[in-house]
Amino acid sequence: MKLMITTILTCLLLWSVMLLSFSNIFKHQLLGDTVNVSSKDSVKPRDKLLGGLLTADFDEDSCLSRYQYQSSLYRKPSPYNTSQYLVSKLRNYEMLHKRCGPDTDAYKIATEKLGHDHDENVGDRSVGECKYIVWVAVYGLGNRILTLASVFLYALLTDRIILVDQRKDISDLFCEPFPGTSWLLPLDFPLMGKIDSFDREYSRCHGTMLKNHTINSTIIPSHLYLHLLHDYRDQDKRFFCQKDHSLVDKVPWLVVKSNLYFIPSLWLNPSFQPELIKLFPQKDTVFYHLARYLFHPTNQVWGMVTRSYNAYLSRADEILGIQVRVFSRQTKYFQHVMNQIVACTQREKLLPEAAAQEEPQVTNTTKPPKLIAVLVTSLHPGYSNNLKNMYWERPTSTGEIVKVYQPSGERFQQTDKKLHDQKALAEMYLLSLTDKLVTSAWSTFGYVAQGLGGLKPWILYTPKKFKTPDPPCGRGVSMEPCFLTPPVHGCGAKKGINTAKIVPFVRHCEDLRHYGLKLVDDTKDEL
Ligand code: GDP
């Protein structure tokens, strides 16, 4: 009897311990949910595939950023929907890439044909089923990301396969974007040894062939080089024109070097425009959607992003990003740039003023003061150091607390050095996770951050003669990057046509008012 009572009591005890621990787990889960929901997310569970933009066909652990970048831990829900037309276009592209990518018969056949120009009069038998565009890495990382997005969109529009020159550090920066295949151009690609020498003088350069009248309407070259760099000539710019495109379209292999975000000019081409409108009904979201689809930092870079974010930014009530890029021969600290940063952030009420002198602080003990984290990125550490000192030495006029953080201070540009490029990429992603963003005029580094983050930045205008400009900055009208050196006259017969006046959604850029072109949303009243 005694034994029975002891057994029953022991069971009851065990049962209550189990219940208690279950309820604790349950409470923690509930709490966890509550914390997540109330911190940055709405009540709706986050769609990790971004409305179908991303495919579910990847192993999550191999590339953590792919599904984590949009998570509620780091981002507010996206206000920009992905069109179903874009989703189906991407799925079709993925199938095409799988069929034509490296290690397929189609790729083998296409590379074997390199070097043999095709005579259209002979018939179609010698043309393979797949066409390619090879992207070659040139210039800094911001430039590279913008051109990759541009070349990918061109590939989508023309049913080509994008292959990426992997001799630089691209695979240390980004995961593969397409499932079950690779976007890396095989190292034994037959033209690999020659690509670096391709320039405007190359006989297979599209612009040069137009200039020298060596284009023959029936002989299709097996490859063409597209020179889409800032020093391109009027003939190179004809790549964007509908009537010059019929030859380019038939060439199996295109190799492109570019440092331009040339997407606005694709919108001005009447043969692409209807398709583009269906892909991107909200026209200033092109880079935003393409970048979230295409670019997924490797686990090493993503580790840098999340460690920085969790250590320095996640607890703030508001995060302000300031991207400082000074285009000068040496990376120096310039006082007029520092003055510009302070003038801009205070005039636009992005940061509180630092009080003139120490005043008695009324401390509210019931409510902690608002914490603003400022993420500064710059090659030089001087700007963030000064800002930090300013808010340490004096209180703010509003009682808000400002903490300043700069992840790296590399001093000078070291493109193609693995860790340097990884830090640059991590900083672009960190800037994209801020609530408000200040960028530097003409910088593709800043364009990437604003585009990824879907942020309309405050742009620090370019100083002239070492003076702080007045006004120091202005609000961008769209989050799209600027095409800094577009063709100025359009493709029509009429000379002197202003390319920023052809359609309402392609305008001059705020930071290059008479020249650059950018996409804007034409559905808004402000336009
Ligand atoms: P852009 O020259 O401003 O258009 O931007 P790019 O990214 O094309 O080239 C500048 C390069 O300099 C970057 O890719 C980095 O290598 C380096 N760099 C410039 N600013 C920064 C910065 O704030 N942080 C880091 N880590 N690197 C920078």
Side-chain angles (χ1 to χ4, degrees):
M1 183 66 182
K2 204 175 155 198
L3 187 71
M4 221 173 91
I5 291 174
T6 324
T7 319
I8 291 171
L9 278 177
T10 317
C11 281
L12 274 174
L13 197 75
L14 277 173
W15 180 241
S16 52
V17 169
M18 263 168 67
L19 264 183
L20 207 73
S21 47
F22 267 132
S23 70
N24 264 340
I25 293 170
F26 191 56
K27 191 174 88 189
H28 276 291
Q29 277 180 349
L30 267 185
L31 266 180
D33 274 349
T34 320
V35 169
N36 267 346
V37 168
S38 65
S39 61
K40 289 219 156 176
D41 211 348
S42 69
V43 186
K44 230 167 70 182
R46 188 66 62 82
D47 166 24
K48 74 174 187 179
L49 299 181
L50 310 178
L53 186 80
L54 301 181
T55 147
D57 293 353
F58 277 107
D59 161 34
E60 282 198 45
D61 291 345
S62 66
C63 184
L64 296 169
S65 69
R66 195 184 314 269
Y67 303 117
Q68 281 184 13
Y69 176 56
Q70 288 299 322
S71 111
S72 58
L73 288 173
Y74 309 108
R75 313 259 329 221
K76 296 196 179 91
S78 168
Y80 307 111
N81 291 331
T82 316
S83 78
Q84 280 316 298
Y85 191 69
L86 175 61
V87 170
S88 68
K89 190 92 181 167
L90 292 171
R91 291 302 87 80
N92 287 338
Y93 176 84
E94 286 161 6
M95 285 193 290
L96 185 69
H97 198 111
K98 230 176 181 168
R99 206 166 66 237
C100 302
D103 285 334
T104 60
D105 288 344
Y107 173 83
K108 208 166 150 246
I109 293 167
T111 47
E112 276 163 7
K113 296 223 162 83
L114 263 169
H116 308 288
D117 293 344
H118 164 69
D119 188 338
E120 286 216 299
N121 296 328
V122 176
D124 257 348
R125 268 170 302 130
S126 63
V127 178
E129 62 161 334
C130 304
K131 293 183 294 176
Y132 300 82
I133 183 158
V134 173
W135 171 90
V136 182
V138 286
Y139 288 82
L141 187 57
N143 281 278
R144 290 180 189 188
I145 292 174
L146 296 187
T147 59
L148 259 173
S150 306
V151 171
F152 176 62
L153 181 58
Y154 176 76
L156 266 190
L157 292 170
T158 54
D159 297 323
R160 280 182 187 273
I161 299 301
I162 183 175
L163 290 176
V164 168
D165 176 16
Q166 57 169 311
R167 291 170 302 162
K168 307 282 169 67
D169 52 7
I170 200 82
S171 48
D172 297 316
L173 300 172
F174 298 111
C175 308
E176 290 278 356
F178 315 124
T181 177
S182 175
W183 72 340
L184 301 177
L185 178 71
L187 292 168
D188 60 0
F189 176 61
L191 296 177
M192 198 61 110
K194 291 191 197 159
I195 283 179
D196 290 334
S197 65
F198 287 3
D199 60 13
R200 294 191 330 182
E201 308 318 318
Y202 181 47
S203 59
R204 295 295 174 102
C205 172
H206 179 229
T208 306
M209 290 183 79
L210 285 169
K211 189 166 164 237
N212 298 342
H213 306 285
T214 47
I215 287 192
N216 176 328
S217 56
T218 55
I219 305 290
I220 311 297
S222 63
H223 76 276
L224 266 188
Y225 163 61
L226 304 172
H227 188 83
L228 303 179
L229 288 156
H230 60 280
D231 65 348
Y232 59 167
R233 305 153 296 187
D234 284 347
Q235 292 88 354
D236 299 303
K237 293 173 189 166
R238 281 168 56 185
F239 164 72
F240 299 115
C241 300
Q242 188 178 23
K243 80 174 164 50
D244 292 297
H245 213 263
S246 50
L247 169 88
V248 179
D249 214 26
K250 293 180 191 143
V251 176
W253 286 92
L254 300 177
V255 179
V256 58
K257 287 186 190 171
S258 177
N259 59 354
L260 308 170
Y261 180 71
F262 58 75
I263 287 177
S265 282
L266 299 179
W267 282 79
L268 296 180
N269 183 325
S271 50
F272 298 141
Q273 207 181 88
E275 181 82 347
L276 284 167
I277 290 173
K278 282 201 275 176
L279 289 168
F280 305 100
Q282 189 175 335
K283 301 173 185 82
D284 62 346
T285 58
V286 178
F287 183 76
Y288 176 79
H289 290 308
L290 289 180
R292 289 182 323 151
Y293 172 73
L294 208 54
F295 304 120
H296 305 286
T298 52
N299 286 353
Q300 205 174 349
V301 177
W302 188 238
M304 290 179 181
V305 176
T306 52
R307 282 190 294 277
S308 269
Y309 189 87
N310 292 331
Y312 303 101
L313 306 174
S314 62
R315 284 167 202 84
D317 297 296
E318 187 176 298
I319 310 171
L320 172 70
I322 306 181
Q323 182 247 347
V324 187
R325 177 84 167 115
V326 180
F327 293 99
S328 72
R329 255 187 220 143
Q330 290 168 315
T331 313
K332 280 203 315 203
Y333 172 84
F334 291 100
Q335 190 56 44
H336 67 274
V337 175
M338 186 69 223
N339 296 344
Q340 183 178 9
I341 295 165
V342 175
C344 169
T345 49
Q346 305 216 329
R347 191 185 134 116
E348 300 295 324
K349 307 239 173 305
L350 300 170
L351 286 177
E353 283 179 32
Q357 57 189 45
E358 186 67 56
E359 288 159 8
Q361 293 285 292
V362 186
T363 320
N364 183 342
T365 46
T366 52
K367 200 171 160 231
K370 180 177 171 186
L371 173 62
I372 304 176
V374 185
L375 167 76
V376 180
T377 70
S378 171
L379 282 173
H380 202 287
Y383 305 103
S384 66
N385 279 342
N386 266 345
L387 210 59
K388 198 186 292 172
N389 281 336
M390 189 172 119
Y391 286 106
W392 183 49
E393 289 164 7
R394 289 179 282 155
T396 60
S397 50
T398 53
E400 291 162 317
I401 303 293
V402 177
K403 79 169 179 186
V404 181
Y405 164 60
Q406 177 169 349
S408 78
E410 294 281 279
R411 297 275 175 174
F412 62 96
Q413 182 171 341
Q414 299 152 62
T415 297
D416 293 332
K417 205 171 127 191
K418 177 177 155 183
L419 194 56
H420 170 84
D421 285 344
Q422 289 185 322
K423 286 181 183 172
L425 184 61
E427 287 179 21
M428 290 178 202
Y429 271 78
L430 279 166
L431 286 171
S432 79
L433 297 176
T434 58
D435 299 305
K436 293 175 181 166
L437 180 63
V438 177
T439 56
S440 296
W442 307 349
S443 172
T444 59
F445 191 108
Y447 292 161
V448 171
Q450 79 193 39
L452 272 171
L455 299 162
K456 283 183 192 161
W458 282 261
I459 304 166
L460 295 166
Y461 296 133
T462 309
K464 289 200 183 96
K465 298 190 181 158
F466 300 100
K467 287 211 175 85
T468 302
D470 183 20
C473 62
R475 189 82 196 263
V477 292
S478 97
M479 59 198 177
E480 273 287 303
C482 176
F483 182 178
L484 289 166
T485 43
V488 266
H489 296 306
C491 297
K494 273 190 274 168
K495 274 264 173 201
I497 188 170
N498 182 347
T499 38
K501 296 257 155 71
I502 299 173
V503 289
F505 47 85
V506 176
R507 294 286 174 97
H508 282 314
C509 310
E510 309 83 349
D511 49 340
L512 204 56
R513 284 185 190 282
H514 304 294
Y515 202 60
L517 288 183
K518 74 185 289 184
L519 284 160
V520 295
D521 179 17
D522 58 346
T523 57
K524 295 270 161 66
D525 295 337
E526 61 189 274
L527 298 169

